[in-house]
Amino acid sequence: MGNNLDALTTVFTEFYYWITVPLMFLIHVGFCLYEVSVSRAKNKMHTLMKNAMLIPVVTVTMFFFGFWIYFAFPAWPVGEIATGTGALPWDVTMGSNFQDHIMGVFWAAFLLFSWTAASIVSGAVIERIRTGAFLIFAVLVGSITWMIDAAWGWSASGWLVTEWGYHDAYASGVIHGICGGAALGILVVLGPRIGKFAPDGTPRDIPPHNPWFAVIGLFIIYTGFWGFYAACNAPILDLSGDGTLFSATSIYGTPTTLSAITFNFLMSLAGGLMAGYMLSKGDAYWTFSGGLAGIIAASAGNDLYHPLQAFLLGIVGVWVAYRLHYWVERKFKVDDAVGAVAVHGYAGSFGVIAAGFMLWGYPALADGSVTITPWGQIGGAIVMFFVLGFIPTFIVAKILQGIGILRIPKEIELAGLDYFEEQSRKSDNLKIVDAEMAENNS
Protein backbone atom coordinates (compact mmCIF):
# COMPACT_ATOMS: atom_id res chain seq x y z
CA MET A 1 0.00 0.00 0.00
CA GLY A 2 2.99 2.32 -0.33
CA ASN A 3 3.78 4.87 2.37
CA ASN A 4 1.96 5.43 5.66
CA LEU A 5 -0.40 8.03 4.17
CA ASP A 6 -1.40 5.65 1.37
CA ALA A 7 -1.98 2.88 3.90
CA LEU A 8 -4.11 5.11 6.11
CA THR A 9 -6.16 6.27 3.12
CA THR A 10 -6.74 2.68 1.98
CA VAL A 11 -7.80 1.43 5.41
CA PHE A 12 -10.06 4.44 5.93
CA THR A 13 -11.69 3.90 2.51
CA GLU A 14 -12.20 0.21 3.25
CA PHE A 15 -13.85 0.96 6.59
CA TYR A 16 -15.92 3.80 5.09
CA TYR A 17 -17.56 1.58 2.47
CA TRP A 18 -17.88 -1.28 4.97
CA ILE A 19 -19.91 0.88 7.37
CA THR A 20 -22.26 2.08 4.58
CA VAL A 21 -23.39 -1.52 3.97
CA PRO A 22 -25.34 -2.06 7.24
CA LEU A 23 -26.76 1.46 6.89
CA MET A 24 -28.04 0.63 3.41
CA PHE A 25 -29.35 -2.70 4.73
CA LEU A 26 -31.88 -0.56 6.59
CA ILE A 27 -33.33 0.48 3.22
CA HIS A 28 -34.29 -3.13 2.60
CA VAL A 29 -35.65 -3.51 6.13
CA GLY A 30 -37.76 -0.40 5.53
CA PHE A 31 -39.00 -1.62 2.16
CA CYS A 32 -40.01 -4.99 3.65
CA LEU A 33 -41.87 -3.35 6.52
CA TYR A 34 -43.50 -0.82 4.22
CA GLU A 35 -44.63 -3.30 1.56
CA VAL A 36 -45.95 -5.84 4.06
CA SER A 37 -47.92 -3.07 5.80
CA VAL A 38 -49.39 -1.71 2.57
CA SER A 39 -50.51 -5.16 1.40
CA ARG A 40 -53.74 -6.60 2.76
CA ALA A 41 -53.57 -9.07 5.64
CA LYS A 42 -54.40 -12.00 3.34
CA ASN A 43 -51.19 -11.37 1.36
CA LYS A 44 -48.73 -10.19 4.00
CA MET A 45 -46.43 -13.24 4.23
CA HIS A 46 -46.22 -13.66 0.47
CA THR A 47 -45.25 -10.01 0.16
CA LEU A 48 -42.57 -10.43 2.81
CA MET A 49 -41.08 -13.61 1.36
CA LYS A 50 -41.07 -12.26 -2.19
CA ASN A 51 -39.01 -9.28 -1.07
CA ALA A 52 -36.78 -11.36 1.21
CA MET A 53 -35.87 -13.88 -1.50
CA LEU A 54 -34.52 -11.23 -3.84
CA ILE A 55 -31.59 -10.94 -1.38
CA PRO A 56 -29.96 -14.32 -2.19
CA VAL A 57 -30.96 -14.28 -5.85
CA VAL A 58 -29.59 -10.82 -6.58
CA THR A 59 -26.51 -11.39 -4.41
CA VAL A 60 -25.49 -14.49 -6.34
CA THR A 61 -26.13 -12.97 -9.77
CA MET A 62 -24.29 -9.79 -8.80
CA PHE A 63 -21.29 -11.91 -7.86
CA PHE A 64 -21.32 -13.97 -11.06
CA PHE A 65 -21.94 -11.26 -13.64
CA GLY A 66 -23.65 -8.09 -12.36
CA PHE A 67 -20.55 -6.39 -10.98
CA TRP A 68 -18.57 -7.33 -14.09
CA ILE A 69 -21.11 -5.45 -16.23
CA TYR A 70 -20.28 -2.19 -14.40
CA PHE A 71 -16.59 -2.39 -15.30
CA ALA A 72 -17.00 -3.95 -18.75
CA PHE A 73 -19.68 -1.76 -20.35
CA PRO A 74 -18.86 1.96 -19.77
CA ALA A 75 -18.03 2.57 -23.43
CA TRP A 76 -20.43 0.08 -25.02
CA PRO A 77 -22.25 0.42 -27.45
CA VAL A 78 -20.30 3.45 -28.74
CA GLY A 79 -17.00 1.74 -27.88
CA GLU A 80 -15.55 -1.63 -27.00
CA ILE A 81 -16.44 -3.89 -24.07
CA ALA A 82 -13.61 -3.61 -21.54
CA THR A 83 -11.46 -6.59 -20.58
CA GLY A 84 -9.31 -7.24 -17.55
CA THR A 85 -11.94 -5.80 -15.25
CA GLY A 86 -10.98 -7.79 -12.17
CA ALA A 87 -14.70 -8.28 -11.49
CA LEU A 88 -15.27 -11.78 -12.85
CA PRO A 89 -16.00 -14.40 -10.17
CA TRP A 90 -12.69 -16.19 -10.76
CA ASP A 91 -10.54 -13.03 -10.58
CA VAL A 92 -8.25 -12.81 -7.55
CA THR A 93 -9.79 -9.50 -6.48
CA MET A 94 -13.24 -11.14 -6.10
CA GLY A 95 -12.29 -12.95 -2.92
CA SER A 96 -9.88 -12.94 0.02
CA ASN A 97 -6.87 -10.97 -1.17
CA PHE A 98 -4.52 -9.10 1.13
CA GLN A 99 -3.29 -6.98 -1.76
CA ASP A 100 -6.76 -5.52 -2.39
CA HIS A 101 -8.71 -4.00 0.49
CA ILE A 102 -11.38 -2.22 -1.56
CA MET A 103 -13.02 -4.56 -4.09
CA GLY A 104 -15.11 -6.53 -1.60
CA VAL A 105 -16.60 -3.54 0.20
CA PHE A 106 -17.13 -1.71 -3.10
CA TRP A 107 -18.96 -4.78 -4.46
CA ALA A 108 -21.08 -4.91 -1.30
CA ALA A 109 -22.04 -1.23 -1.67
CA PHE A 110 -23.15 -1.87 -5.25
CA LEU A 111 -24.93 -5.02 -4.14
CA LEU A 112 -27.03 -3.04 -1.68
CA PHE A 113 -27.87 -0.60 -4.50
CA SER A 114 -29.02 -3.65 -6.47
CA TRP A 115 -31.26 -4.83 -3.63
CA THR A 116 -32.78 -1.36 -3.53
CA ALA A 117 -33.40 -1.46 -7.29
CA ALA A 118 -35.24 -4.77 -7.07
CA SER A 119 -37.18 -3.67 -3.97
CA ILE A 120 -38.50 -0.58 -5.73
CA VAL A 121 -40.03 -2.83 -8.37
CA SER A 122 -41.28 -5.26 -5.73
CA GLY A 123 -43.61 -2.82 -4.02
CA ALA A 124 -45.42 -1.74 -7.16
CA VAL A 125 -46.52 -5.28 -8.12
CA ILE A 126 -47.62 -6.74 -4.77
CA GLU A 127 -50.70 -8.94 -4.34
CA ARG A 128 -50.87 -10.29 -7.89
CA ILE A 129 -47.48 -11.32 -9.31
CA ARG A 130 -46.05 -14.84 -9.07
CA THR A 131 -42.91 -15.11 -6.94
CA GLY A 132 -40.94 -16.79 -9.73
CA ALA A 133 -41.85 -14.06 -12.19
CA PHE A 134 -40.84 -11.37 -9.73
CA LEU A 135 -37.45 -12.98 -9.11
CA ILE A 136 -36.81 -12.96 -12.86
CA PHE A 137 -37.45 -9.21 -12.83
CA ALA A 138 -35.27 -8.84 -9.72
CA VAL A 139 -32.31 -10.32 -11.61
CA LEU A 140 -33.10 -8.34 -14.78
CA VAL A 141 -33.28 -5.00 -12.98
CA GLY A 142 -31.00 -5.63 -9.99
CA SER A 143 -28.10 -7.35 -11.76
CA ILE A 144 -28.37 -6.38 -15.44
CA THR A 145 -30.17 -3.23 -16.58
CA TRP A 146 -29.32 -1.00 -13.63
CA MET A 147 -25.70 -2.16 -13.82
CA ILE A 148 -25.63 -1.19 -17.50
CA ASP A 149 -26.99 2.27 -16.73
CA ALA A 150 -24.50 2.63 -13.85
CA ALA A 151 -21.70 1.78 -16.27
CA TRP A 152 -22.99 4.35 -18.75
CA GLY A 153 -24.02 7.19 -16.44
CA TRP A 154 -22.51 6.59 -12.99
CA SER A 155 -18.85 6.19 -13.86
CA ALA A 156 -16.23 8.74 -14.85
CA SER A 157 -15.57 6.64 -17.97
CA GLY A 158 -19.23 6.03 -18.87
CA TRP A 159 -20.18 7.26 -22.33
CA LEU A 160 -23.21 9.21 -21.08
CA VAL A 161 -20.80 11.19 -18.92
CA THR A 162 -17.90 11.59 -21.36
CA GLU A 163 -20.09 12.30 -24.41
CA TRP A 164 -23.17 14.04 -22.94
CA GLY A 165 -21.92 15.43 -19.64
CA TYR A 166 -24.50 13.42 -17.69
CA HIS A 167 -24.51 14.14 -13.94
CA ASP A 168 -26.44 12.12 -11.36
CA ALA A 169 -24.41 12.16 -8.15
CA TYR A 170 -26.89 10.35 -5.89
CA ALA A 171 -28.80 8.33 -8.46
CA SER A 172 -32.04 10.23 -9.21
CA GLY A 173 -32.03 8.49 -12.58
CA VAL A 174 -29.42 5.77 -12.25
CA ILE A 175 -31.39 3.96 -9.52
CA HIS A 176 -34.75 5.64 -9.11
CA GLY A 177 -35.57 6.66 -12.67
CA ILE A 178 -34.74 3.28 -14.17
CA CYS A 179 -36.58 1.35 -11.44
CA GLY A 180 -39.67 3.53 -11.74
CA GLY A 181 -39.67 2.92 -15.49
CA ALA A 182 -39.11 -0.81 -14.94
CA ALA A 183 -42.03 -1.00 -12.52
CA LEU A 184 -44.28 0.80 -15.01
CA GLY A 185 -43.29 -1.62 -17.78
CA ILE A 186 -44.39 -4.56 -15.64
CA LEU A 187 -47.58 -2.91 -14.38
CA VAL A 188 -48.84 -2.13 -17.88
CA VAL A 189 -48.78 -5.85 -18.69
CA LEU A 190 -49.61 -7.23 -15.23
CA GLY A 191 -52.81 -5.23 -14.85
CA PRO A 192 -54.54 -3.91 -11.72
CA ARG A 193 -55.57 -5.84 -8.65
CA ILE A 194 -59.12 -7.20 -8.71
CA GLY A 195 -61.47 -4.51 -7.46
CA LYS A 196 -59.05 -1.61 -7.85
CA PHE A 197 -61.22 0.09 -10.46
CA ALA A 198 -64.98 0.53 -10.43
CA PRO A 199 -66.99 -0.42 -13.56
CA ASP A 200 -66.87 3.20 -14.71
CA GLY A 201 -63.07 3.23 -14.38
CA THR A 202 -62.91 5.23 -11.15
CA PRO A 203 -59.95 4.07 -9.04
CA ARG A 204 -60.74 2.76 -5.57
CA ASP A 205 -58.43 3.17 -2.60
CA ILE A 206 -57.17 -0.16 -1.21
CA PRO A 207 -56.10 0.76 2.32
CA PRO A 208 -53.04 -0.81 3.99
CA HIS A 209 -53.66 -3.35 6.72
CA ASN A 210 -51.19 -1.57 9.01
CA PRO A 211 -50.71 2.15 8.24
CA TRP A 212 -48.57 2.72 11.32
CA PHE A 213 -45.92 0.19 10.33
CA ALA A 214 -45.95 1.58 6.78
CA VAL A 215 -44.92 4.97 8.14
CA ILE A 216 -42.21 3.40 10.32
CA GLY A 217 -40.92 1.59 7.22
CA LEU A 218 -40.55 4.89 5.40
CA PHE A 219 -38.68 6.39 8.36
CA ILE A 220 -36.27 3.45 8.26
CA ILE A 221 -35.78 4.01 4.52
CA TYR A 222 -34.83 7.63 5.27
CA THR A 223 -32.22 6.33 7.71
CA GLY A 224 -30.81 3.87 5.20
CA PHE A 225 -30.62 6.65 2.64
CA TRP A 226 -27.81 8.22 4.68
CA GLY A 227 -25.73 5.14 3.96
CA PHE A 228 -26.79 5.29 0.32
CA TYR A 229 -25.58 8.88 0.01
CA ALA A 230 -22.29 8.10 1.73
CA ALA A 231 -21.67 5.08 -0.49
CA CYS A 232 -22.09 7.24 -3.60
CA ASN A 233 -18.92 9.16 -2.66
CA ALA A 234 -15.25 8.32 -2.74
CA PRO A 235 -14.42 9.26 0.86
CA ILE A 236 -10.95 10.71 0.39
CA LEU A 237 -8.86 11.49 -2.69
CA ASP A 238 -5.74 13.56 -3.24
CA LEU A 239 -7.14 16.18 -5.59
CA SER A 240 -3.89 18.13 -5.82
CA GLY A 241 -1.70 15.19 -6.74
CA ASP A 242 0.98 16.33 -4.31
CA GLY A 243 -0.66 15.62 -0.97
CA THR A 244 -1.74 19.19 -0.24
CA LEU A 245 -5.50 18.92 -0.88
CA PHE A 246 -7.66 15.98 0.10
CA SER A 247 -11.44 15.81 -0.25
CA ALA A 248 -14.40 13.52 -0.72
CA THR A 249 -15.55 13.30 -4.32
CA SER A 250 -18.60 12.21 -6.21
CA ILE A 251 -18.46 8.99 -8.19
CA TYR A 252 -17.32 11.15 -11.13
CA GLY A 253 -14.23 12.34 -9.25
CA THR A 254 -15.58 15.88 -8.81
CA PRO A 255 -15.08 17.34 -5.31
CA THR A 256 -17.82 17.57 -2.70
CA THR A 257 -18.08 17.34 1.08
CA LEU A 258 -20.17 15.32 3.50
CA SER A 259 -21.23 18.64 5.01
CA ALA A 260 -22.68 19.80 1.67
CA ILE A 261 -24.69 16.66 1.10
CA THR A 262 -25.96 16.73 4.70
CA PHE A 263 -27.39 20.21 4.17
CA ASN A 264 -29.02 19.18 0.91
CA PHE A 265 -30.30 15.79 2.03
CA LEU A 266 -32.15 17.31 4.97
CA MET A 267 -33.45 20.32 3.06
CA SER A 268 -34.80 18.20 0.21
CA LEU A 269 -36.41 15.86 2.77
CA ALA A 270 -38.03 18.88 4.43
CA GLY A 271 -39.33 20.22 1.10
CA GLY A 272 -40.73 16.83 0.16
CA LEU A 273 -42.49 16.31 3.48
CA MET A 274 -44.07 19.76 3.34
CA ALA A 275 -45.21 19.33 -0.26
CA GLY A 276 -46.61 15.84 0.38
CA TYR A 277 -48.54 17.09 3.40
CA MET A 278 -50.00 20.10 1.59
CA LEU A 279 -50.88 18.33 -1.67
CA SER A 280 -52.55 15.37 0.04
CA LYS A 281 -54.22 17.49 2.75
CA GLY A 282 -52.41 15.66 5.51
CA ASP A 283 -52.57 12.08 4.21
CA ALA A 284 -49.87 10.13 6.08
CA TYR A 285 -48.96 7.93 3.11
CA TRP A 286 -48.29 10.83 0.75
CA THR A 287 -46.66 12.96 3.45
CA PHE A 288 -43.96 10.41 4.20
CA SER A 289 -43.70 9.21 0.60
CA GLY A 290 -43.30 12.87 -0.31
CA GLY A 291 -40.27 13.11 1.95
CA LEU A 292 -38.65 10.25 0.05
CA ALA A 293 -39.64 11.72 -3.33
CA GLY A 294 -38.19 15.09 -2.30
CA ILE A 295 -34.80 13.53 -1.56
CA ILE A 296 -34.90 11.60 -4.84
CA ALA A 297 -35.81 14.70 -6.88
CA ALA A 298 -32.80 16.62 -5.58
CA SER A 299 -30.34 13.72 -5.52
CA ALA A 300 -28.92 14.20 -9.03
CA GLY A 301 -27.27 17.47 -8.02
CA ASN A 302 -27.14 17.35 -4.23
CA ASP A 303 -23.34 17.36 -4.36
CA LEU A 304 -23.45 20.88 -5.85
CA TYR A 305 -26.77 22.52 -4.97
CA HIS A 306 -27.30 25.29 -2.48
CA PRO A 307 -29.58 24.01 0.31
CA LEU A 308 -32.41 26.28 -0.82
CA GLN A 309 -32.19 24.81 -4.32
CA ALA A 310 -32.47 21.32 -2.82
CA PHE A 311 -35.46 22.44 -0.75
CA LEU A 312 -37.30 23.88 -3.76
CA LEU A 313 -36.52 20.88 -5.94
CA GLY A 314 -37.91 18.63 -3.21
CA ILE A 315 -41.17 20.58 -3.30
CA VAL A 316 -41.52 20.66 -7.08
CA GLY A 317 -40.46 17.03 -7.47
CA VAL A 318 -43.23 15.88 -5.14
CA TRP A 319 -45.78 18.01 -6.99
CA VAL A 320 -44.72 16.35 -10.28
CA ALA A 321 -44.85 12.86 -8.77
CA TYR A 322 -48.21 13.39 -7.08
CA ARG A 323 -49.95 14.86 -10.12
CA LEU A 324 -48.54 12.32 -12.57
CA HIS A 325 -49.39 9.38 -10.30
CA TYR A 326 -53.11 10.16 -10.27
CA TRP A 327 -53.24 11.21 -13.92
CA VAL A 328 -51.62 7.95 -15.08
CA GLU A 329 -53.79 5.92 -12.70
CA ARG A 330 -57.03 7.42 -14.07
CA LYS A 331 -55.96 7.64 -17.71
CA PHE A 332 -54.25 4.27 -18.18
CA LYS A 333 -55.69 2.23 -15.27
CA VAL A 334 -52.25 1.52 -13.83
CA ASP A 335 -52.41 0.09 -10.31
CA ASP A 336 -49.16 0.99 -8.55
CA ALA A 337 -49.75 -0.36 -5.05
CA VAL A 338 -47.11 1.76 -3.28
CA GLY A 339 -46.64 4.68 -5.67
CA ALA A 340 -43.18 3.42 -6.67
CA VAL A 341 -43.41 4.70 -10.25
CA ALA A 342 -44.29 8.18 -8.97
CA VAL A 343 -41.94 8.45 -6.00
CA HIS A 344 -38.95 6.92 -7.77
CA GLY A 345 -39.60 7.15 -11.50
CA TYR A 346 -41.33 10.49 -11.99
CA ALA A 347 -39.54 12.35 -9.17
CA GLY A 348 -36.18 10.85 -10.15
CA SER A 349 -36.53 11.67 -13.86
CA PHE A 350 -37.66 15.19 -13.01
CA GLY A 351 -34.60 15.56 -10.80
CA VAL A 352 -32.23 14.46 -13.56
CA ILE A 353 -33.71 16.97 -16.01
CA ALA A 354 -33.81 19.78 -13.44
CA ALA A 355 -30.10 19.28 -12.72
CA GLY A 356 -29.35 20.06 -16.35
CA PHE A 357 -30.76 23.56 -15.91
CA MET A 358 -29.68 24.20 -12.32
CA LEU A 359 -26.10 23.07 -12.95
CA TRP A 360 -25.72 24.13 -16.59
CA GLY A 361 -22.05 24.72 -17.33
CA TYR A 362 -20.64 22.97 -14.27
CA PRO A 363 -17.92 20.41 -15.05
CA ALA A 364 -19.22 16.86 -15.30
CA LEU A 365 -15.69 15.48 -14.82
CA ALA A 366 -12.83 16.68 -12.65
CA ASP A 367 -10.67 17.62 -15.65
CA GLY A 368 -13.38 19.91 -17.04
CA SER A 369 -13.39 18.12 -20.39
CA VAL A 370 -17.20 18.04 -20.53
CA THR A 371 -19.89 20.12 -18.85
CA ILE A 372 -23.40 19.51 -17.56
CA THR A 373 -26.14 20.57 -20.03
CA PRO A 374 -29.94 20.38 -20.19
CA TRP A 375 -29.87 18.22 -23.32
CA GLY A 376 -27.38 15.78 -21.80
CA GLN A 377 -29.62 15.39 -18.76
CA ILE A 378 -32.82 15.06 -20.81
CA GLY A 379 -31.18 12.41 -22.97
CA GLY A 380 -29.94 10.61 -19.87
CA ALA A 381 -33.41 10.68 -18.27
CA ILE A 382 -34.91 9.11 -21.41
CA VAL A 383 -32.24 6.39 -21.45
CA MET A 384 -32.81 5.62 -17.78
CA PHE A 385 -36.61 5.64 -17.59
CA PHE A 386 -37.55 4.29 -21.02
CA VAL A 387 -34.62 2.59 -22.78
CA LEU A 388 -33.21 0.67 -19.80
CA GLY A 389 -36.25 0.91 -17.51
CA PHE A 390 -39.60 0.52 -19.22
CA ILE A 391 -38.73 -1.35 -22.44
CA PRO A 392 -36.81 -4.40 -21.05
CA THR A 393 -39.36 -5.21 -18.33
CA PHE A 394 -42.30 -4.63 -20.68
CA ILE A 395 -40.84 -7.14 -23.15
CA VAL A 396 -40.06 -9.74 -20.46
CA ALA A 397 -43.50 -9.25 -18.87
CA LYS A 398 -45.13 -9.92 -22.25
CA ILE A 399 -43.11 -13.12 -22.61
CA LEU A 400 -43.98 -14.31 -19.10
CA GLN A 401 -47.63 -13.45 -19.67
CA GLY A 402 -47.60 -15.38 -22.93
CA ILE A 403 -46.42 -18.56 -21.23
CA GLY A 404 -48.77 -18.11 -18.30
CA ILE A 405 -46.36 -17.51 -15.44
CA LEU A 406 -46.70 -13.76 -14.79
CA ARG A 407 -49.85 -13.38 -12.70
CA ILE A 408 -51.40 -15.57 -10.03
CA PRO A 409 -54.76 -17.24 -10.80
CA LYS A 410 -57.89 -15.21 -10.07
CA GLU A 411 -59.12 -17.67 -7.44
CA ILE A 412 -55.90 -17.37 -5.44
CA GLU A 413 -55.89 -13.59 -5.71
CA LEU A 414 -59.43 -13.44 -4.31
CA ALA A 415 -58.74 -15.89 -1.48
CA GLY A 416 -55.36 -14.37 -0.67
CA LEU A 417 -51.82 -15.53 -1.38
CA ASP A 418 -51.50 -16.66 2.23
CA TYR A 419 -54.76 -18.66 2.20
CA PHE A 420 -53.35 -22.17 2.51
CA GLU A 421 -50.78 -21.16 5.14
CA GLU A 422 -53.50 -19.39 7.14
CA GLN A 423 -55.83 -22.40 6.95
CA SER A 424 -53.03 -24.71 8.01
CA ARG A 425 -52.17 -22.42 10.91
CA LYS A 426 -55.80 -22.29 12.05
CA SER A 427 -56.03 -26.07 11.85
CA ASP A 428 -52.87 -26.47 13.93
CA ASN A 429 -54.17 -24.00 16.51
CA LEU A 430 -57.47 -25.90 16.81
CA LYS A 431 -55.60 -29.16 17.34
CA ILE A 432 -53.58 -27.55 20.12
CA VAL A 433 -56.76 -26.20 21.77
CA ASP A 434 -58.43 -29.61 21.52
CA ALA A 435 -55.39 -31.29 23.01
CA GLU A 436 -55.27 -28.79 25.88
CA MET A 437 -58.97 -29.26 26.62
CA ALA A 438 -58.66 -33.06 26.49
CA GLU A 439 -55.70 -32.98 28.89
CA ASN A 440 -57.55 -30.61 31.22
CA ASN A 441 -60.63 -32.90 31.33
CA SER A 442 -58.68 -36.08 31.89
Side-chain angles (χ1 to χ4, degrees):
M1 288 190 289
N3 60 38
N4 290 340
L5 183 59
D6 290 339
L8 183 62
T9 300
T10 298
V11 172
F12 173 74
T13 301
E14 178 184 28
F15 181 75
Y16 176 92
Y17 283 120
W18 183 82
I19 206 67
T20 66
V21 172
L23 281 172
M24 286 194 290
F25 208 109
L26 290 174
I27 297 177
H28 204 73
V29 173
F31 271 126
C32 280
L33 187 57
Y34 178 58
E35 290 176 26
V36 171
S37 301
V38 169
S39 69
R40 287 165 287 183
K42 64 180 182 178
N43 300 313
K44 60 183 183 296
M45 290 308 298
H46 179 269
T47 300
L48 173 64
M49 296 310 298
K50 172 176 63 65
N51 207 340
M53 287 311 297
L54 73 84
I55 293 176
V57 171
V58 173
T59 298
V60 171
T61 52
M62 268 292 288
F63 182 80
F64 279 111
F65 56 81
F67 202 44
W68 167 78
I69 290 173
Y70 178 72
F71 292 98
F73 283 76
W76 182 86
V78 298
E80 298 294 325
I81 296 175
T83 58
T85 63
L88 289 167
W90 50 81
D91 288 331
V92 294
T93 47
M94 291 296 287
S96 301
N97 178 6
F98 199 66
Q99 301 305 310
D100 186 306
H101 289 242
I102 305 301
M103 195 65 149
V105 290
F106 197 54
W107 171 79
F110 267 78
L111 173 64
L112 270 292
F113 296 148
S114 294
W115 290 3
T116 298
S119 286
I120 291 168
V121 174
S122 173
V125 299
I126 59 172
E127 301 194 306
R128 70 216 112 135
I129 196 169
R130 291 177 183 263
T131 299
F134 167 71
L135 293 176
I136 291 171
F137 289 118
V139 172
L140 175 65
V141 177
S143 295
I144 301 174
T145 54
W146 113 257
M147 293 307 300
I148 293 172
D149 88 41
W152 290 357
W154 217 34
S155 165
S157 57
W159 70 267
L160 284 179
V161 181
T162 59
E163 301 296 326
W164 292 3
Y166 181 76
H167 185 83
D168 191 6
Y170 303 106
S172 290
V174 170
I175 287 282
H176 302 285
I178 184 176
C179 295
L184 184 61
I186 300 168
L187 290 170
V188 168
V189 181
L190 183 64
R193 288 168 289 177
I194 296 171
K196 172 64 180 177
F197 294 96
D200 64 357
T202 303
R204 297 187 179 104
D205 182 43
I206 300 178
H209 86 271
N210 195 326
W212 172 237
F213 272 14
V215 170
I216 294 297
L218 283 165
F219 265 114
I220 294 172
I221 293 171
Y222 296 165
T223 307
F225 231 119
W226 284 104
F228 183 97
Y229 259 55
C232 294
N233 286 341
I236 183 168
L237 287 179
D238 180 5
L239 299 180
S240 63
D242 59 9
T244 60
L245 177 61
F246 288 86
S247 176
T249 73
S250 71
I251 203 161
Y252 306 110
T254 52
T256 189
T257 66
L258 294 180
S259 182
I261 66 172
T262 299
F263 274 126
N264 293 336
F265 180 97
L266 290 172
M267 289 295 281
S268 56
L269 170 62
L273 284 167
M274 291 171 65
Y277 182 84
M278 296 299 291
L279 285 165
S280 68
K281 297 179 174 60
D283 176 76
Y285 163 76
W286 270 108
T287 298
F288 291 98
S289 292
L292 185 58
I295 299 168
I296 292 166
S299 286
N302 261 351
D303 58 327
L304 295 170
Y305 288 146
H306 185 279
L308 290 178
Q309 289 177 303
F311 175 72
L312 292 173
L313 283 171
I315 292 173
V316 179
V318 172
W319 182 86
V320 169
Y322 185 85
R323 298 300 182 195
L324 276 177
H325 171 78
Y326 286 110
W327 180 78
V328 170
E329 183 180 69
R330 291 190 301 269
K331 182 72 173 179
F332 300 102
K333 306 297 181 289
V334 171
D335 176 16
D336 180 358
V338 300
V341 178
V343 171
H344 299 275
Y346 303 152
S349 298
F350 161 78
V352 169
I353 294 169
F357 293 93
M358 304 286 273
L359 303 176
W360 196 345
Y362 275 75
L365 291 171
D367 62 7
S369 58
V370 62
T371 59
I372 301 167
T373 64
W375 44 91
Q377 296 297 107
I378 293 170
I382 292 170
V383 169
M384 301 301 169
F385 190 90
F386 290 106
V387 177
L388 291 174
F390 182 90
I391 293 174
T393 56
F394 178 82
I395 292 171
V396 172
K398 279 289 189 183
I399 294 171
L400 296 178
Q401 182 186 54
I403 58 179
I405 60 171
L406 177 65
R407 184 165 179 147
I408 59 173
K410 180 179 179 180
E411 297 78 12
I412 295 177
E413 184 175 351
L414 290 171
L417 287 150
D418 298 343
Y419 176 79
F420 291 108
E421 289 80 359
E422 290 293 335
Q423 295 304 308
S424 176
R425 190 176 296 112
K426 288 178 181 177
S427 176
D428 290 341
N429 286 337
L430 285 173
K431 290 176 182 178
I432 292 170
V433 171
D434 290 343
E436 289 173 339
M437 292 180 66
E439 185 173 334
N440 184 59
N441 294 329
S442 62

